[in-house]
Amino acid sequence: MSANGRYREHGSVTEFYWRDLEVSFDAINELSANQQLRRFEAFLDAMSLEELKDLADVTEVVLTDSANKEQCKNDLSLISEGRVLLALLLRDFQNRKKRSIPIFYENNSDELKHKTPLAQLHHLFGQSPALLFSLLTYHLWTVRGTGDLFALDKNIAPGKAKQVLSEKGFEDKLRNLLYKGSKETNEYRIFSYSIVRENRFICLIYKQVNDTSIPDYNQGIRHQEVNTLMFELNSESGTVEIKTKVQFESVAIKKYIEETFDGVLSAYKTEVFHEFGICQDSCRLARK
């Protein structure tokens, strides 16, 4: 099951949730309550008045209409230890994703109540913890280079596109094609996915490439190293984009999509422009 399904409800949020999100949960959680509060107050100092008011709103801190920055900080520093910890974890998740957060929030929130990134993360988390995995997937897609772009000659039905990302039977078929393509040397699984505006379906796949024990400060731990590959189904444009540097993975995903949607994928080709001479002649005539 993908992280989106595993962490759909707040009751499923544990240390594993935050670790899967690549948040420094253990380092933050092991701080004393006073240390967490001091760290929380430190990043409050760096926030603007708009950010402070937005954070107060989403954490249900009541401010007066005339509250200045110092008053906002003082009132926010009185929130519960649990809310302080959540704010620290979301702040850690926010790092390096600042540009993706407002775009994703605008496209996926059920109500656009907040204008600043940290408050938006609180709001998304409040709707469903799974939305942060959707955001992570969307962010990784946007920062990764362009991939191979294809057009499908059949309609990409949104309902089936969502099944591809979320249902076990569809995932098992994809995993088997990738496993066989690797000559049965690598395991694959859908780690998470993102659905943007109900017409873009982005899939993040983990490939296990190593399984070793590594030294750790406290005790040795098992580390299952992964590489990632991604693809997007766009039901509006009828296109499929695949992002992987490994040829057999691209071939396996392409075959899977063709079989799933009963169609043929054709690569987009960029035509070389040869009309420079005509343009120059036109420009000379225009000047005359």
Side-chain angles (χ1 to χ4, degrees):
M1 179 185 293
S2 70
N4 304 66
R6 187 180 306 116
Y7 300 117
R8 196 175 304 277
E9 305 297 333
H10 288 91
S12 62
V13 175
T14 64
E15 67 271 21
F16 300 107
Y17 169 83
W18 297 107
R19 290 171 189 160
D20 280 346
L21 275 176
E22 302 175 14
V23 169
S24 303
F25 172 81
D26 298 282
I28 294 171
N29 187 56
E30 289 171 4
L31 296 173
S32 68
N34 285 336
Q35 289 173 320
Q36 289 179 4
L37 180 58
R38 287 199 295 271
R39 182 175 292 191
F40 177 64
E41 291 173 336
F43 81 67
L44 290 180
D45 286 336
M47 295 174 70
S48 68
L49 180 58
E50 180 188 27
E51 290 174 314
L52 290 168
K53 287 186 174 181
D54 215 12
L55 181 60
D57 182 37
V58 79
T59 53
E60 300 178 346
V61 173
V62 179
L63 301 173
T64 62
D65 293 337
S66 59
N68 59 28
K69 186 173 179 177
E70 200 60 36
Q71 290 171 319
C72 289
K73 289 191 299 182
N74 289 338
D75 289 341
L76 279 165
S77 66
L78 299 176
I79 63 176
S80 68
E81 291 181 7
R83 286 189 180 274
V84 168
L85 176 59
L86 176 61
L88 291 176
L89 295 170
L90 292 177
R91 179 76 168 191
D92 189 75
F93 177 75
Q94 177 187 348
N95 293 335
R96 300 182 301 279
K97 303 176 185 67
K98 292 180 181 178
R99 293 184 180 180
S100 302
I101 294 168
I103 299 172
F104 180 86
Y105 182 76
E106 182 179 346
N107 289 326
N108 291 274
S109 176
D110 57 2
E111 186 180 2
L112 301 179
K113 295 179 62 176
H114 303 284
K115 297 180 180 180
T116 58
L118 186 58
Q120 289 170 347
L121 287 180
H122 272 82
H123 187 197
L124 290 169
F125 179 81
Q127 290 178 62
S128 171
L131 282 173
L132 295 195
F133 282 96
S134 296
L135 170 54
L136 175 65
T137 306
Y138 172 76
H139 171 74
L140 293 175
W141 178 265
T142 59
V143 299
R144 197 157 179 166
T146 56
D148 296 323
L149 188 63
F150 303 90
L152 187 66
D153 65 349
K154 296 290 180 68
N155 177 50
I156 300 176
K160 181 169 283 189
K162 186 174 182 179
Q163 287 179 305
V164 166
L165 303 182
S166 60
E167 293 191 8
K168 186 177 184 301
F170 287 85
E171 180 184 5
D172 287 345
K173 183 179 178 181
L174 175 59
R175 291 174 61 180
N176 289 336
L177 284 171
L178 287 165
Y179 178 64
K180 290 177 181 177
S182 73
K183 298 182 180 179
E184 302 185 358
T185 58
N186 298 111
E187 296 284 350
Y188 294 81
R189 72 182 180 95
I190 293 178
F191 175 73
S192 60
Y193 61 84
S194 184
I195 300 174
V196 183
R197 289 187 174 176
E198 298 301 322
N199 58 38
R200 295 179 59 195
F201 302 83
I202 304 169
C203 182
L204 172 61
I205 300 171
Y206 271 10
K207 172 175 71 172
Q208 183 181 325
V209 295
N210 204 357
D211 188 351
T212 59
S213 295
I214 60 173
D216 181 74
Y217 184 77
N218 292 314
Q219 71 179 75
I221 59 174
R222 179 184 181 184
H223 178 61
Q224 294 178 292
E225 183 183 356
V226 297
N227 286 342
T228 61
L229 50 148
M230 307 184 78
F231 68 86
E232 178 191 89
L233 306 171
N234 191 314
S235 62
E236 183 176 42
S237 64
T239 58
V240 175
E241 187 172 359
I242 301 171
K243 295 184 179 183
T244 176
K245 295 179 180 179
V246 182
Q247 181 62 24
F248 78 78
E249 291 174 348
S250 182
V251 170
I253 293 172
K254 184 172 178 288
K255 179 180 179 182
Y256 169 74
I257 292 169
E258 288 178 328
E259 291 179 353
T260 300
F261 292 92
D262 192 25
V264 177
L265 286 171
S266 302
Y268 270 100
K269 294 183 179 179
T270 304
E271 296 292 336
V272 179
F273 186 69
H274 295 291
E275 307 300 331
F276 294 104
I278 295 174
C279 289
Q280 290 170 353
D281 290 342
S282 300
C283 290
R284 281 196 294 268
L285 288 171
R287 285 196 294 270
K288 290 180 180 180

Coordinates of all heavy atoms in Angstrom, one line a residue, residues 10 40 43-44 47 49-63 72 75-76 79-80 82-84 86-88 90-91 94 101 105 109-128 132:
H10 N -5.6 10.4 10.9 CA -4.7 11.0 11.9 C -4.2 9.9 12.9 O -3.2 10.0 13.4 CB -5.3 12.2 12.6 CG -5.4 13.4 11.7 ND1 -6.5 13.6 10.9 CD2 -4.5 14.4 11.5 CE1 -6.3 14.8 10.2 NE2 -5.1 15.2 10.6
F40 N 10.9 26.6 18.7 CA 9.7 27.2 18.2 C 9.7 28.7 18.2 O 9.4 29.4 17.2 CB 8.5 26.6 19.0 CG 7.2 27.1 18.5 CD1 6.7 26.9 17.3 CD2 6.4 27.9 19.4 CE1 5.4 27.4 16.9 CE2 5.1 28.3 19.1 CZ 4.6 28.1 17.8
F43 N 12.0 30.3 15.5 CA 11.5 30.6 14.2 C 10.3 31.5 14.1 O 10.0 32.1 13.1 CB 11.3 29.2 13.4 CG 10.0 28.5 13.7 CD1 8.8 29.0 13.3 CD2 10.1 27.2 14.2 CE1 7.6 28.2 13.5 CE2 8.9 26.5 14.4 CZ 7.7 27.0 14.1
L44 N 9.6 31.7 15.3 CA 8.6 32.7 15.3 C 9.2 34.1 15.2 O 8.7 35.0 14.5 CB 7.9 32.7 16.7 CG 6.9 31.5 16.9 CD1 6.3 31.7 18.3 CD2 5.9 31.4 15.9
M47 N 9.6 35.1 11.5 CA 8.3 35.2 10.7 C 7.8 36.6 10.7 O 8.0 37.4 11.6 CB 7.3 34.3 11.3 CG 7.7 32.8 11.2 SD 6.5 31.7 12.1 CE 5.1 31.8 11.0
L49 N 4.6 39.4 10.3 CA 3.4 39.6 11.1 C 2.3 38.8 10.4 O 1.4 38.1 11.0 CB 3.0 41.1 11.2 CG 1.7 41.4 11.9 CD1 1.7 40.8 13.3 CD2 1.4 42.9 11.9
E50 N 2.2 38.8 9.0 CA 1.2 38.1 8.3 C 1.4 36.6 8.6 O 0.4 35.9 8.8 CB 1.4 38.3 6.8 CG 0.3 37.5 5.9 CD 0.6 37.6 4.4 OE1 1.7 37.8 4.0 OE2 -0.4 37.5 3.7
E51 N 2.6 36.1 8.6 CA 2.8 34.6 8.8 C 2.4 34.3 10.3 O 1.8 33.2 10.5 CB 4.3 34.3 8.6 CG 4.8 34.3 7.2 CD 6.3 34.1 7.1 OE1 7.0 34.8 7.8 OE2 6.7 33.3 6.2
L52 N 2.7 35.1 11.2 CA 2.3 34.9 12.6 C 0.8 34.8 12.8 O 0.2 34.0 13.4 CB 2.9 36.0 13.5 CG 4.4 35.9 13.7 CD1 4.9 37.2 14.4 CD2 4.9 34.7 14.5
K53 N 0.1 35.8 12.1 CA -1.4 35.8 12.2 C -2.0 34.6 11.6 O -3.0 34.0 12.1 CB -1.9 37.1 11.6 CG -1.6 38.3 12.5 CD -2.3 39.6 11.9 CE -2.2 40.8 12.9 NZ -2.8 42.0 12.4
D54 N -1.4 34.2 10.4 CA -1.9 33.0 9.7 C -1.7 31.8 10.5 O -2.6 30.9 10.6 CB -1.2 32.9 8.4 CG -2.1 32.4 7.3 OD1 -3.3 32.3 7.5 OD2 -1.5 32.0 6.2
L55 N -0.5 31.7 11.2 CA -0.3 30.5 12.0 C -1.2 30.5 13.3 O -1.7 29.4 13.7 CB 1.2 30.5 12.5 CG 1.7 29.3 13.3 CD1 1.5 28.0 12.6 CD2 3.1 29.5 13.7
A56 N -1.4 31.7 13.8 CA -2.3 31.7 15.0 C -3.7 31.3 14.6 O -4.4 30.6 15.4 CB -2.3 33.2 15.5
D57 N -4.2 31.7 13.4 CA -5.5 31.3 13.0 C -5.6 29.8 12.8 O -6.6 29.2 13.3 CB -5.8 32.0 11.6 CG -7.2 31.7 11.1 OD1 -8.1 31.6 11.9 OD2 -7.3 31.5 9.9
V58 N -4.6 29.1 12.2 CA -4.7 27.7 12.0 C -4.5 26.9 13.2 O -4.9 25.7 13.3 CB -3.7 27.3 10.8 CG1 -2.3 27.1 11.4 CG2 -4.2 26.0 10.2
T59 N -3.8 27.5 14.2 CA -3.6 26.8 15.5 C -4.6 27.2 16.6 O -4.5 26.9 17.7 CB -2.2 27.0 16.0 OG1 -1.9 28.4 16.1 CG2 -1.1 26.3 15.1
E60 N -5.6 27.9 16.1 CA -6.7 28.4 17.0 C -6.3 29.2 18.2 O -6.9 29.1 19.3 CB -7.5 27.1 17.5 CG -8.1 26.3 16.3 CD -8.8 25.0 16.8 OE1 -8.6 24.7 18.0 OE2 -9.6 24.4 16.0
V61 N -5.3 30.1 17.9 CA -4.9 31.1 18.9 C -5.7 32.4 18.6 O -5.6 32.9 17.5 CB -3.4 31.3 18.8 CG1 -3.0 32.5 19.8 CG2 -2.6 30.1 19.2
V62 N -6.4 32.9 19.6 CA -7.2 34.0 19.4 C -6.4 35.3 19.6 O -5.8 35.5 20.7 CB -8.4 34.0 20.3 CG1 -9.3 35.3 20.1 CG2 -9.3 32.8 20.1
L63 N -6.3 36.1 18.6 CA -5.6 37.4 18.6 C -6.5 38.6 18.6 O -7.6 38.5 18.0 CB -4.6 37.5 17.5 CG -3.5 36.4 17.3 CD1 -2.8 36.6 16.0 CD2 -2.6 36.4 18.5
C72 N 1.7 38.7 19.0 CA 1.5 37.5 18.3 C 2.4 36.4 18.7 O 2.0 35.3 19.0 CB 1.6 37.7 16.8 SG 0.3 38.6 16.0
D75 N 1.6 35.2 22.3 CA 0.4 34.4 22.4 C 0.6 33.0 21.8 O 0.1 32.0 22.3 CB -0.8 35.1 21.6 CG -1.3 36.3 22.4 OD1 -1.1 36.4 23.6 OD2 -2.0 37.1 21.8
L76 N 1.4 33.0 20.7 CA 1.7 31.7 20.0 C 2.6 30.8 20.9 O 2.5 29.6 20.8 CB 2.3 31.9 18.7 CG 1.4 32.2 17.5 CD1 2.2 32.8 16.3 CD2 0.6 31.0 17.1
I79 N 0.9 28.0 23.2 CA 0.2 26.8 22.7 C 0.7 25.5 23.3 O 1.8 25.5 23.9 CB 0.2 26.7 21.1 CG1 1.7 26.4 20.7 CG2 -0.4 27.9 20.4 CD1 1.8 26.2 19.2
S80 N -0.1 24.5 23.2 CA 0.3 23.2 23.9 C 1.6 22.6 23.4 O 2.0 22.9 22.3 CB -0.9 22.2 23.8 OG -1.0 21.8 22.4
G82 N 2.0 19.6 22.4 CA 1.7 18.8 21.1 C 1.7 19.7 19.9 O 2.2 19.3 18.8
R83 N 1.1 20.9 20.0 CA 1.0 21.8 18.9 C 2.4 22.4 18.6 O 2.7 22.6 17.4 CB 0.1 22.9 19.2 CG -1.4 22.5 19.1 CD -2.3 23.7 19.1 NE -3.7 23.4 19.1 CZ -4.4 23.2 17.9 NH1 -3.8 23.3 16.8 NH2 -5.7 22.9 17.9
V84 N 3.2 22.6 19.6 CA 4.6 23.0 19.3 C 5.4 22.0 18.5 O 6.1 22.3 17.6 CB 5.3 23.3 20.7 CG1 6.8 23.5 20.4 CG2 4.8 24.6 21.3
L86 N 4.2 19.6 16.6 CA 3.6 19.5 15.3 C 4.2 20.7 14.4 O 4.6 20.5 13.2 CB 2.1 19.6 15.3 CG 1.4 19.6 13.9 CD1 1.8 18.3 13.1 CD2 -0.1 19.7 14.1
A87 N 4.2 21.9 15.0 CA 4.7 23.0 14.2 C 6.2 22.8 13.8 O 6.6 23.2 12.7 CB 4.6 24.3 15.0
L88 N 7.0 22.3 14.8 CA 8.4 22.0 14.5 C 8.6 21.0 13.4 O 9.4 21.1 12.5 CB 9.1 21.5 15.7 CG 9.3 22.6 16.8 CD1 10.0 21.9 18.1 CD2 10.2 23.7 16.4
L90 N 6.3 20.2 11.0 CA 5.9 20.8 9.7 C 6.9 21.8 9.2 O 7.1 21.9 8.0 CB 4.5 21.4 9.9 CG 3.4 20.4 10.2 CD1 2.1 21.2 10.4 CD2 3.2 19.4 9.0
R91 N 7.5 22.5 10.1 CA 8.5 23.5 9.7 C 9.7 22.8 9.0 O 10.3 23.2 8.0 CB 9.0 24.3 10.9 CG 10.1 25.3 10.6 CD 9.5 26.5 9.9 NE 10.5 27.6 9.9 CZ 10.3 28.9 9.6 NH1 9.0 29.2 9.2 NH2 11.2 29.8 9.6
Q94 N 8.7 21.7 5.7 CA 8.6 22.9 4.8 C 9.9 23.3 4.1 O 9.9 23.8 3.0 CB 8.1 24.1 5.6 CG 8.0 25.4 4.8 CD 7.7 26.6 5.7 OE1 7.4 26.4 6.9 NE2 7.9 27.8 5.2
I101 N 4.6 24.5 -2.1 CA 3.5 24.4 -1.1 C 2.3 25.3 -1.6 O 1.2 24.8 -1.6 CB 4.0 24.8 0.3 CG1 5.0 23.8 0.8 CG2 2.8 25.0 1.3 CD1 5.7 24.2 2.1
Y105 N -1.3 23.8 -2.6 CA -2.4 24.2 -1.7 C -3.5 24.7 -2.5 O -4.7 24.4 -2.3 CB -1.9 25.2 -0.7 CG -2.9 25.6 0.3 CD1 -3.3 24.8 1.4 CD2 -3.5 26.9 0.2 CE1 -4.2 25.2 2.3 CE2 -4.5 27.3 1.1 CZ -4.8 26.5 2.2 OH -5.8 26.9 3.1
S109 N -6.5 22.1 -1.8 CA -7.2 22.3 -0.5 C -8.7 22.4 -0.8 O -9.1 23.0 -1.8 CB -6.7 23.6 0.1 OG -7.4 23.8 1.3
D110 N -9.5 21.9 0.2 CA -10.9 22.0 0.0 C -11.4 23.4 0.3 O -12.6 23.7 0.0 CB -11.6 21.0 1.0 CG -11.2 21.2 2.4 OD1 -10.4 22.1 2.7 OD2 -11.7 20.4 3.3
E111 N -10.6 24.2 0.9 CA -11.0 25.6 1.2 C -9.7 26.4 1.4 O -8.8 26.1 2.2 CB -11.8 25.7 2.5 CG -12.3 27.0 2.9 CD -13.1 27.0 4.2 OE1 -13.2 26.0 4.8 OE2 -13.6 28.1 4.5
L112 N -9.6 27.5 0.6 CA -8.3 28.3 0.6 C -8.4 29.3 1.7 O -8.8 30.5 1.5 CB -8.1 29.0 -0.8 CG -8.0 28.0 -2.0 CD1 -7.9 28.8 -3.3 CD2 -6.9 27.1 -1.8
K113 N -8.0 28.9 2.9 CA -8.2 29.8 4.1 C -6.9 30.5 4.4 O -6.9 31.5 5.2 CB -8.6 28.9 5.3 CG -10.0 28.3 5.1 CD -10.3 27.5 6.4 CE -10.4 28.3 7.6 NZ -10.8 27.5 8.8
H114 N -5.7 30.0 3.9 CA -4.4 30.5 4.4 C -3.5 30.9 3.3 O -3.6 30.4 2.2 CB -3.8 29.5 5.3 CG -4.6 29.1 6.5 ND1 -4.8 29.9 7.6 CD2 -5.4 28.0 6.7 CE1 -5.6 29.3 8.4 NE2 -6.0 28.1 7.9
K115 N -2.7 31.9 3.6 CA -1.8 32.5 2.5 C -0.3 32.2 2.7 O 0.4 32.5 1.8 CB -2.1 34.0 2.5 CG -3.5 34.4 2.1 CD -3.6 35.9 2.0 CE -5.1 36.3 1.7 NZ -5.2 37.8 1.6
T116 N 0.1 31.7 3.8 CA 1.5 31.5 4.1 C 1.8 30.0 4.2 O 1.0 29.2 4.7 CB 1.9 32.2 5.4 OG1 1.2 31.8 6.5 CG2 1.7 33.7 5.2
P117 N 3.0 29.5 3.8 CA 3.3 28.1 3.7 C 3.1 27.3 4.9 O 2.5 26.2 4.9 CB 4.8 28.1 3.2 CG 5.0 29.4 2.5 CD 4.1 30.4 3.3
L118 N 3.6 27.7 6.1 CA 3.5 26.9 7.3 C 2.0 26.7 7.7 O 1.6 25.6 8.1 CB 4.2 27.5 8.5 CG 4.3 26.6 9.7 CD1 4.9 25.3 9.4 CD2 5.1 27.4 10.8
A119 N 1.2 27.8 7.6 CA -0.2 27.6 7.9 C -0.9 26.7 6.9 O -1.8 26.0 7.2 CB -0.9 29.0 7.9
Q120 N -0.5 26.8 5.6 CA -1.1 26.0 4.6 C -0.8 24.5 4.9 O -1.6 23.6 4.7 CB -0.5 26.4 3.2 CG -1.1 27.7 2.8 CD -0.4 28.2 1.5 OE1 0.7 27.8 1.1 NE2 -1.0 29.3 0.9
L121 N 0.5 24.2 5.4 CA 0.8 22.8 5.7 C -0.1 22.3 6.9 O -0.5 21.2 6.9 CB 2.3 22.7 6.1 CG 3.3 22.8 5.0 CD1 4.7 22.7 5.5 CD2 3.1 21.7 3.9
H122 N -0.3 23.2 7.9 CA -1.1 22.8 9.0 C -2.6 22.5 8.5 O -3.2 21.5 8.9 CB -1.2 24.0 10.0 CG -0.2 24.0 11.1 ND1 1.1 24.5 10.9 CD2 -0.2 23.5 12.4 CE1 1.8 24.4 12.0 NE2 1.0 23.8 12.9
H123 N -3.0 23.3 7.6 CA -4.4 23.1 7.0 C -4.5 21.8 6.3 O -5.4 21.0 6.4 CB -4.8 24.3 6.2 CG -6.2 24.3 5.7 ND1 -6.7 25.0 4.7 CD2 -7.3 23.5 6.2 CE1 -8.0 24.8 4.5 NE2 -8.4 23.9 5.4
L124 N -3.5 21.5 5.4 CA -3.5 20.3 4.6 C -3.4 19.1 5.6 O -4.1 18.1 5.4 CB -2.3 20.3 3.7 CG -2.4 21.2 2.5 CD1 -1.0 21.3 1.8 CD2 -3.5 20.8 1.5
F125 N -2.5 19.1 6.6 CA -2.4 18.0 7.5 C -3.7 17.8 8.3 O -4.1 16.7 8.5 CB -1.3 18.3 8.5 CG -1.1 17.3 9.5 CD1 -0.3 16.1 9.3 CD2 -1.6 17.4 10.8 CE1 -0.2 15.1 10.2 CE2 -1.4 16.4 11.8 CZ -0.7 15.3 11.5
G126 N -4.4 18.9 8.6 CA -5.7 18.8 9.3 C -6.7 18.1 8.4 O -7.6 17.4 9.0
Q127 N -6.7 18.3 7.1 CA -7.7 17.7 6.2 C -7.4 16.2 6.2 O -8.3 15.3 6.3 CB -7.6 18.3 4.8 CG -8.1 19.7 4.7 CD -7.9 20.2 3.3 OE1 -8.5 19.6 2.3 NE2 -7.1 21.2 3.1
S128 N -6.1 15.8 5.9 CA -5.7 14.4 5.9 C -4.2 14.4 5.9 O -3.5 15.1 5.1 CB -6.2 13.7 4.7 OG -5.6 12.4 4.6
L132 N 0.2 15.4 2.7 CA 1.6 15.8 2.7 C 2.4 14.9 1.8 O 3.4 15.3 1.3 CB 2.1 15.8 4.2 CG 1.5 16.9 5.1 CD1 2.4 17.0 6.3 CD2 1.3 18.2 4.4

